[in-house]
């Protein structure tokens, strides 16, 4: 608002995870943080903790899930808050913050290596339709819980961050995501064929660039690793990497869209 138009203000932020600190010690630690010069708290809101069983989404029922009380106390103490609802928290939590019921039950939505194998027990294929279906209710419940505490409504929550370590959860663990359903590899009209068609226009142009003889965009298979001595395999690997990065952007934009749909700005 106009109050701050001529004033530079900075977030001096520190991690304070309500689910990892005893509730009876929140206020004391908040005051110590302020004494140290901080003005903004940052915390994950882990899906793992708030939906312990599929379909049972819980906020504010027990101290370590009492996000509303945490936000009220932050407001009382004059602190701003940055919230990060994931759905990936990473942050040294079990399953990187993914619910156990999700990663233990639905192998089809896990990220896959180029051989079609799950390469890590909690690494999700972000845009898999089943994953998006499972995470959407959690995002909706998060929005309902925090809406009264948003800055737009006079509350302490000044910023939201979607996801965490975006892309790292795949790459650090050894592979890009080649989940065939998510990426549409081998499927007419799938994401990967659409990417190639947009880039090349015609299969003939693609074949000339890759030195291949594919009959259609849907026939194009990515290569697992570029041979640095082979220009054409480097081109194919680079194109898949660019495509993969585009899917990360698509996922982040979708999470942002959900928050906006649910009334958070």
């Amino acid at each position: 608002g106009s109050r701050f138009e001529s004033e530079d203000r900075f977030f001096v932020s520190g991690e304070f995870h309500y689910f990892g600190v005893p509730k009876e010690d929140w206020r004391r630690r908040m005051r110590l943080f302020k004494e140290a010069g901080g003005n903004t708290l940052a915390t994950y809101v882990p899906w793992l903790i708030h939906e312990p069983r599929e379909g049972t989404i819980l906020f504010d029922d027990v101290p370590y899930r009492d996000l509303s009380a945490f936000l009220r106390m932050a407001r009382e103490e004059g602190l701003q808050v940055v919230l990060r609802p994931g759905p990936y928290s990473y942050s040294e939590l079990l399953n990187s913050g993914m619910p156990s019921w999700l990663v233990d039950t639905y192998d089809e939505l896990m990220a896959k290596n180029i051989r079609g194998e799950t390469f890590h027990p909690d690494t999700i294929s972000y845009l898999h339709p089943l994953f998006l279906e499972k995470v959407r209710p959690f995002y909706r419940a998060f929005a309902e819980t925090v809406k009264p505490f948003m800055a737009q409504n006079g509350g302490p929550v000044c910023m939201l961050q979607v996801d965490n370590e975006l892309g790292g959860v795949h790459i650090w663990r050894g592979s890009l995501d080649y989940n065939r359903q998510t990426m549409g590899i081998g499927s007419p009209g799938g994401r990967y064929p659409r990417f190639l068609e947009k880039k090349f226009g015609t299969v003939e142009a693609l074949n000339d660039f890759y030195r291949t003889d594919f009959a259609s965009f849907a026939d194009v298979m990515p290569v697992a690793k570029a041979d640095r001595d082979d220009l054409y395999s480097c081109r194919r690997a680079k194109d898949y990497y660019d495509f993969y990065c585009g899917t990360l952007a698509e996922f982040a934009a979708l999470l942002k869209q959900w928050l906006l749909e649910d009334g958070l700005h």
Side-chain angles (χ1 to χ4, degrees):
S2 59
R3 186 176 154 216
F4 300 119
E5 280 177 358
S6 61
E7 180 184 347
D8 288 335
R9 302 173 71 234
F10 297 89
F11 297 141
V12 182
S13 176
E15 291 300 296
F16 192 133
H17 300 163
Y18 61 94
F19 52 89
V21 175
K23 187 176 182 180
E24 59 269 20
D25 205 30
W26 286 355
R27 194 177 301 273
R28 184 183 73 88
R29 296 196 193 191
M30 287 183 186
R31 290 177 176 176
L32 287 171
F33 177 66
K34 287 195 297 180
E35 286 178 24
N39 62 24
T40 305
L41 305 174
T43 182
Y44 303 102
V45 182
W47 187 14
L48 165 74
I49 287 167
H50 288 284
E51 192 172 357
R53 294 173 302 283
E54 184 172 2
T56 302
I57 303 175
L58 301 169
F59 281 90
D60 306 341
D61 62 320
V62 294
Y64 67 87
R65 282 195 286 257
D66 201 348
L67 179 58
S68 294
F70 178 78
L71 296 175
R72 275 194 298 271
M73 191 178 294
R75 179 169 54 195
E76 290 164 8
E77 293 298 325
L79 291 164
Q80 300 174 112
V81 181
V82 176
L83 292 180
R84 302 195 297 270
Y88 250 102
S89 308
Y90 212 62
S91 67
E92 293 67 58
L93 285 166
L94 179 69
N95 309 325
S96 301
M98 295 287 109
S100 294
W101 57 260
L102 183 85
V103 300
D104 293 345
T105 307
Y106 300 104
D107 182 68
E108 65 268 36
L109 54 70
M110 306 304 289
K112 306 294 183 181
N113 63 24
I114 200 159
R115 297 182 298 279
E117 303 160 341
T118 299
F119 58 90
H120 194 276
D122 61 38
T123 299
I124 301 292
S125 184
Y126 285 132
L127 289 171
H128 193 285
L130 183 60
F131 175 62
L132 299 178
E133 175 189 319
K134 297 299 180 186
V135 75
R136 184 66 180 100
F138 165 69
Y139 248 58
R140 194 173 287 118
F142 163 78
E144 184 178 337
T145 301
V146 306
K147 191 181 298 183
F149 301 99
M150 294 294 293
Q152 71 202 61
N153 298 319
V157 179
C158 59
M159 191 177 294
L160 302 171
Q161 175 194 302
V162 297
D163 206 77
N164 192 46
E165 313 284 17
L166 187 66
V169 293
H170 299 143
I171 294 167
W172 299 333
R173 290 164 170 178
S175 180
L176 305 183
D177 180 19
Y178 298 90
N179 184 300
R180 290 180 70 112
Q181 183 177 359
T182 302
M183 302 307 191
I185 297 167
S187 300
R191 274 190 182 85
Y192 184 48
R194 290 201 311 270
F195 166 85
L196 295 172
E197 184 172 14
K198 183 177 180 181
K199 173 167 182 167
F200 292 104
T202 67
V203 177
E204 291 74 21
L206 176 145
N207 283 328
D208 183 58
F209 192 67
Y210 289 168
R211 194 173 279 181
T212 52
D213 57 358
F214 294 113
S216 71
F217 292 113
D219 290 335
V220 181
M221 293 292 114
V223 293
K225 188 176 180 181
D227 175 354
R228 69 180 64 189
D229 296 320
D230 178 358
L231 168 66
Y232 302 100
S233 84
C234 289
R235 286 176 171 178
R236 290 176 65 181
K238 174 65 164 55
D239 278 351
Y240 191 84
Y241 183 76
D242 289 348
F243 161 72
Y244 166 79
C245 290
T247 68
L248 300 182
E250 184 181 345
F251 178 60
L254 178 61
L255 297 178
K256 175 187 172 184
Q257 177 188 320
W258 286 353
L259 294 173
L260 291 171
E261 284 174 5
D262 294 337
L264 304 188
H265 298 288

